[in-house]
Amino acid sequence: MSAVVMDGKALAAKIKEQVRLQVAGMEKKPGMAMVLVGEDPAGQVYEAGKRKDCQQCGIYYETYHLPEDVPQEEILDVIHFLNEREGIDGILVQFPLPRHLDERAVQLAIRPDKDVDCVHPTNVGDLTLGMESFWPCTPAGVIRLLAEYGIDPAFKNCTMVGRSNIVGKPQAMLLLRQDCTVTVCHTKTPDLAAECRRGDILITAAGRIGLITADMVKEGAVVIDVAVNRDANGHLCGDVDYASVAEKASYITPVPGGVGPVTRSILMENTLLAAKRHGK
Ligand code: NAP
């Protein structure tokens, strides 16, 4: 079997175009602000990507770039200012923050109705309870990719490798909401290969190059690689040994060009949703 490659770029372009068309018909445009701390080059690449996405969609965009040693009160002041700023519907803070900052305090400070990446405990709780809330962009992107390719998680086993608060845990919750049977794995899972082989859908977000090899994949499984790693040559790659796994899977996401672009487009959609909830 040679897997169908799930084209995240194409899906992202479609989602962004739908957002652009809706925004074009709005009198008051949605607005998004990103809060970035320090000089991490990766953070700056993400920032540039978000700026470009907003431009494409007609969404107003601002960045608050704070120094690495910014005091806690100052980042909280920025969040409080953005909470009250009428033109801003969505606030995105680039995590992780430098160690001297209290991430939880920052997450708690973001007004839940502007929390477009679902980090505030109120939104995380609502997501877990199955209530209406923002869906975190990366797990929501995975759900969209599955839907785009007509893959219904109901009555299927999913193995999720990774239990982080931003990917693994919310991914498991979203799949549960879709009647999937989910197993969440981590570094203390006794037999990772056996758990992976049970997955009709296998999602990996470990951040470990070469972790998922073909012998760990069920014949015909859907394999979604969320991870973004850099190999010895500085090229982007995921956790999955792509060439061999693509021979065994029915569907597979590439890295780059899979989950990443869809994640970014969901942020645009969530900002539009926030603007609508703000009466725009
Ligand atoms: P993280 O916080 O480091 O979590 C990694 C998870 O994987 C942890 O739960 C860890 O287990 C588990 N894990 C690591 N090595 C493992 C192994 N050998 N066997 C089993 N489980 C293992 O990372 P994250 O923030 O969730 O990000 C994960 C990856 O996704 C990274 O590569 C990141 O760059 C990427 N990412 C991509 C997007 C996107 O839009 N494409 C968005 C966010 C993140 P323990 O809990 O036991 O430590």
Side-chain angles (χ1 to χ4, degrees), residues 37-260:
V37 180
E39 299 304 322
D40 172 25
Q44 293 180 33
V45 171
Y46 290 136
E47 193 278 322
K50 268 141 206 155
R51 180 182 297 277
K52 191 172 150 212
D53 290 339
C54 285
Q55 268 167 3
Q56 283 176 358
C57 294
I59 291 174
Y60 173 76
Y61 177 82
E62 292 177 345
T63 309
Y64 292 78
H65 195 166
L66 307 174
E68 181 81 27
D69 60 353
V70 63
Q72 175 81 10
E73 313 80 67
E74 226 167 272
I75 185 169
L76 291 178
D77 282 349
V78 171
I79 305 280
H80 293 141
F81 167 73
L82 292 170
N83 281 344
E84 297 310 317
R85 191 155 156 67
E86 210 189 306
I88 295 300
D89 300 290
I91 302 169
L92 184 81
V93 178
Q94 182 71 43
F95 293 108
L97 296 170
R99 291 168 69 92
H100 70 281
L101 294 172
D102 178 350
E103 278 195 2
R104 182 164 166 83
V106 172
Q107 290 163 350
L108 279 165
I110 300 171
R111 228 171 71 182
D113 58 298
K114 295 192 174 189
D115 174 30
V116 283
D117 200 20
C118 190
V119 296
H120 191 286
T122 295
N123 285 328
V124 176
D126 280 348
L127 179 85
T128 306
L129 295 170
M131 311 295 284
E132 196 180 317
S133 74
F134 290 112
W135 286 13
C137 299
T138 300
V142 170
I143 297 290
R144 284 293 275 278
L145 265 170
L146 293 173
E148 180 70 6
Y149 285 85
I151 299 156
D152 181 0
F155 297 100
K156 292 193 176 70
N157 288 318
C158 172
T159 301
M160 173 73 234
V161 183
R163 58 173 164 180
S164 72
N165 290 336
I166 61 162
V167 187
K169 283 181 198 159
Q171 190 70 73
M173 288 304 155
L174 290 181
L175 286 162
L176 263 182
R177 285 171 68 148
Q178 299 204 323
D179 299 322
C180 192
T181 301
V182 189
T183 303
V184 181
C185 301
H186 44 79
T187 53
K188 311 290 186 297
T189 297
D191 189 345
L192 181 67
E195 300 298 347
C196 288
R197 276 194 293 271
R198 290 197 309 127
D200 305 305
I201 301 171
L202 172 59
I203 305 175
T204 180
R208 300 283 180 273
I209 296 175
L211 178 68
I212 307 296
T213 48
D215 59 304
M216 297 166 77
V217 175
K218 182 177 181 173
E219 190 77 44
V222 175
V223 179
I224 309 270
D225 196 345
V226 177
V228 181
N229 308 306
R230 276 196 193 274
D231 68 15
N233 300 317
H235 298 135
L236 293 182
C237 62
D239 290 345
V240 172
D241 182 21
Y242 186 86
S244 63
V245 171
E247 288 306 310
K248 211 168 172 188
S250 55
Y251 293 86
I252 191 166
T253 58
V255 180
V259 176

